[in-house]
DNA sequence: GTATTGATCTTCT
DNA sequence: GAAGATCAATACA
């Protein structure tokens, strides 16, 4: 959006029966979008200072989504730098909060359809090599290997991701 | 280099 | 009133 974009290099899965998921325990006013149709954007505030973006990926009423954890900037780098206030491309979107800030995603985008402008989702021609690992940044069910990252990428949310 | 803590707000107990 | 799917600055080795 606004000419900025990139390749998603790290994601994390959240299921309805996952204690760490917002959808765990039923539908609430906050996670209502998670229970909506697939292909929507679920945005929530983290620790009062950051936004986190998820892609709803299940049928309506299920409550499953994928958290976008890291992005490799490929377009609109100058704009991202201006918004993030730093020059290092490796840190522009290396983390949930950073990613949303770089793409200017806020709470107003909660529930929008990712197939509609200003968003655009493109699938890669060549399937990237991904590795599954244990999740990060949560305190429950951290043993579920539902963190998927692009193998060898230098744009991950952790300096040295362990497989 | 790693470790710890402050910022700041929504939701749930 | 406490916890949380975080980030960045500071303190220490």
């Amino acid at each position: 959006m606004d000419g900025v974009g990139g390749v998603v290099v790290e994601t994390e899965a959240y299921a309805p029966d996952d204690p760490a998921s917002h959808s765990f325990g039923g539908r609430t006013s906050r996670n209502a979008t998670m229970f909506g149709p697939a292909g929507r954007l679920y945005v929530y505030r983290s620790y009062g200072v950051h936004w986190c973006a998820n892609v709803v990926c299940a049928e309506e009423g299920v409550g499953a989504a994928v958290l976008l954890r890291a992005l490799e900037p490929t377009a609109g780098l100058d704009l991202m730098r201006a918004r993030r206030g730093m020059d290092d491309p490796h840190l522009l979107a290396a983390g949930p909060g950073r990613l949303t800030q770089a793409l200017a995603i806020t709470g107003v985008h909660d529930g929008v359809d990712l197939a509609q402008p200003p968003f655009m989702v493109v699938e890669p021609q060549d399937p990237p090599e991904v590795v599954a690992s244990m999740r990060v940044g949560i305190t429950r069910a951290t043993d579920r290997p539902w963190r998927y990252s692009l193998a060898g990428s230098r744009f991950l949310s952790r300096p040295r991701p362990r497989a």
Side-chain angles (χ1 to χ4, degrees), chain A residues 16-17 28 64 118 136:
Chain A
D17 64 345
T28 69
V136 182

Side-chain angles (χ1 to χ4, degrees), chain A residues 89-115:
Chain A
H90 296 109
L91 297 178
L92 283 180
R98 293 166 175 166
L99 183 148
T100 55
Q101 188 179 355
L103 296 183
I105 293 175
T106 67
V108 303
H109 299 106
D110 184 39
V112 303
D113 190 343
L114 284 175

Side-chain angles (χ1 to χ4, degrees), chain A residues 57-106:
Chain A
C57 59
E59 298 289 314
E60 184 164 0
V62 175
V66 172
L67 168 70
L68 303 181
R69 285 198 59 85
L71 184 95
E72 176 181 343
T74 57
L77 290 209
D78 291 338
L79 196 51
M80 287 190 191
R81 275 196 284 260
R83 290 206 271 243
R84 297 274 300 115
M86 61 173 63
D87 285 339
D88 194 343
H90 296 109
L91 297 178
L92 283 180
R98 293 166 175 166
L99 183 148
T100 55
Q101 188 179 355
L103 296 183
I105 293 175
T106 67

Side-chain angles (χ1 to χ4, degrees), chain A residues 4-156:
Chain A
V4 300
V7 181
V8 177
V9 295
E10 186 179 356
T11 63
E12 217 163 82
Y14 288 92
D17 64 345
D18 179 358
S21 173
H22 285 176
S23 59
F24 180 74
R27 178 178 191 151
T28 69
S29 55
R30 170 179 56 179
N31 63 27
T33 305
M34 257 181 122
F35 291 85
R40 307 280 276 278
L41 192 66
Y42 165 50
V43 183
Y44 75 98
R45 199 190 309 283
S46 172
Y47 289 79
V49 279
H50 298 292
W51 294 102
C52 290
N54 300 249
V55 177
V56 181
C57 59
E59 298 289 314
E60 184 164 0
V62 175
V66 172
L67 168 70
L68 303 181
R69 285 198 59 85
L71 184 95
E72 176 181 343
T74 57
L77 290 209
D78 291 338
L79 196 51
M80 287 190 191
R81 275 196 284 260
R83 290 206 271 243
R84 297 274 300 115
M86 61 173 63
D87 285 339
D88 194 343
H90 296 109
L91 297 178
L92 283 180
R98 293 166 175 166
L99 183 148
T100 55
Q101 188 179 355
L103 296 183
I105 293 175
T106 67
V108 303
H109 299 106
D110 184 39
V112 303
D113 190 343
L114 284 175
Q116 301 295 321
F119 294 99
M120 184 174 65
V121 179
V122 182
E123 301 194 18
Q125 299 293 322
D126 303 315
E129 183 182 355
V130 296
V131 294
S133 56
M134 295 205 299
R135 296 190 290 183
V136 182
I138 54 178
T139 58
R140 308 181 73 79
T142 55
D143 57 332
R144 298 198 183 191
W146 288 353
R147 179 188 183 211
Y148 299 98
S149 46
L150 194 63
S153 176
R154 310 191 313 280
F155 296 87
L156 302 179

